[in-house]
Amino acid sequence: MNEDGQRSFDSLGKVLVIIPTYNEAENVRPIVKRVRASVPDADVLIADDNSPDGTGKLADEMSADDPQVHVMHRQGKEGLGAAYLAGFQWGIEHDYGVLVEMDADGSHQPEELPRLLTALKGADLVLGSRWIPGGRVVNWPKHREYLSRGGSTYSRLMLDVPLRDVTGGYRAFRRQTLESLGLGDIASAGYCFQVDLAWRAVKAGFHVVEVPITFVERERGDSKMSRNIVAEALWRVTAWGVGARASKITGRRPLP
C-alpha cells in the first residue's frame, strides 16, 4: 500500500491501460475516470479509430485535463487487433513495464484491474477469465454465452492451450512478454487476435495465469461483434490447429 492506502504496483514498472475506441462517446469519460480511480498510478492510452461520433475530441479534452491520459488518433476503423498492436508499440516505445487491454464499454470493470496486476507479479501474462470458478457474466443473452464458451472451448482443444477463457480481452502483459511474441507478423484483426496472443504466449513457455472477473454487458452504445468476426476466428483457429498437428507429423514449424 502507498501513503494514500492504494495498492502499489511499482515493482512491475509503469502501467499503461490501452482502451481502443470507435464510437464510444457515451462511454469513454466514465471508463477512463474509473481506471484512474482504481489504479491512480496507471496511465491510459485511448486509441481512437477516427470515430465519427466525436470520441476522439472527447479523448483530447480528457488528455488536456489529465497528463496521465494519452490519445492516439488512427486513420480509420482497422479492427481491434490493429488498435491494440499500435497501442502496444506506443507503450513499448514509451518504456511502460505493463500493458493492459481493456474495452471501452465498461464490460471490463476497472475496479478489478488491481486483481490482474497483483497476479502479474508472479506471471508473464494474466487473463481476466469469465469461465473459471469465481468468474461470471452479467446481462448476457444465452446465445452470447454459448458462443463465447463454445469459442473458448474450441480454441482450447484445437490449439492445445490449458486456458478456460482464450477469447477474453481483459489482460495484463509484462512488456518483455509482448516483445517476445512476434507482434510484427500478427495478421488477425478481430477478436481472434486474443486467441492468437494467448496461444503464442503458451507456445513460448510463458507463465500465463487466469483470474476470475465479472464481465458486464455494455449499457450504452452498440456491440462491435459481428458474423464476420466470428467467421474469421473460426477459420483462423481451425487453420492454426490443423497446421500445428501437421507440423508434428512433418517436423516443420507451424505458421502462427
Side-chain angles (χ1 to χ4, degrees), residues 46-95:
I46 301 167
D48 186 65
D49 276 5
N50 197 24
S51 299
D53 72 344
T55 301
K57 182 176 182 296
L58 291 175
D60 285 337
E61 293 173 0
M62 287 186 288
S63 180
D65 292 336
D66 186 344
Q68 287 178 243
V69 177
H70 311 276
V71 184
M72 173 186 292
H73 292 284
R74 292 164 43 74
Q75 293 301 309
K77 190 176 181 182
E78 299 177 31
L80 185 71
Y84 273 129
L85 288 173
F88 291 156
Q89 186 60 42
W90 189 94
I92 290 170
E93 290 174 355
H94 288 80
D95 201 30

Side-chain angles (χ1 to χ4, degrees), residues 2 12 30 93 112 212 226 233:
N2 61 22
L12 294 171
E93 290 174 355
E112 295 184 317
S226 69

Side-chain angles (χ1 to χ4, degrees), residues 7-188:
R7 196 171 303 171
S8 175
F9 303 104
D10 291 346
S11 63
L12 294 171
K14 295 193 300 180
V15 176
L16 180 68
V17 179
I18 303 168
I19 303 178
T21 56
Y22 183 78
N23 286 350
E24 296 288 359
E26 295 178 288
N27 295 313
V28 67
R29 281 190 185 276
I31 198 68
V32 170
K33 183 177 179 180
R34 289 170 63 188
V35 171
R36 296 286 290 111
S38 179
V39 184
D41 290 339
D43 286 6
V44 176
L45 174 65
I46 301 167
D48 186 65
D49 276 5
N50 197 24
S51 299
D53 72 344
T55 301
K57 182 176 182 296
L58 291 175
D60 285 337
E61 293 173 0
M62 287 186 288
S63 180
D65 292 336
D66 186 344
Q68 287 178 243
V69 177
H70 311 276
V71 184
M72 173 186 292
H73 292 284
R74 292 164 43 74
Q75 293 301 309
K77 190 176 181 182
E78 299 177 31
L80 185 71
Y84 273 129
L85 288 173
F88 291 156
Q89 186 60 42
W90 189 94
I92 290 170
E93 290 174 355
H94 288 80
D95 201 30
Y96 286 90
V98 176
L99 297 101
V100 177
E101 297 182 12
M102 182 183 292
D103 284 354
D105 59 13
S107 56
H108 299 151
Q109 299 187 85
E111 294 76 18
E112 295 184 317
L113 179 55
R115 182 184 303 163
L116 273 68
L117 296 178
T118 297
L120 192 63
K121 292 180 179 181
D124 300 306
L125 165 60
V126 174
L127 311 182
S129 179
R130 299 158 291 185
W131 312 131
I132 63 172
R136 66 191 185 107
V137 297
V138 176
N139 296 332
W140 251 17
K142 281 298 181 183
H143 75 272
R144 283 290 302 277
E145 181 175 345
Y146 294 150
L147 179 63
S148 181
R149 283 184 181 273
S152 277
T153 299
Y154 184 74
S155 298
R156 182 173 71 252
L157 296 175
M158 283 297 297
L159 303 177
D160 192 26
V161 291
L163 304 171
R164 306 299 298 182
D165 195 345
V166 191
T167 62
Y170 196 5
R171 302 179 169 191
F173 294 84
R174 287 184 181 268
R175 169 186 176 156
Q176 295 87 344
T177 305
L178 283 172
E179 290 177 320
S180 300
L181 294 186
L183 299 180
D185 61 12
I186 290 180
S188 48

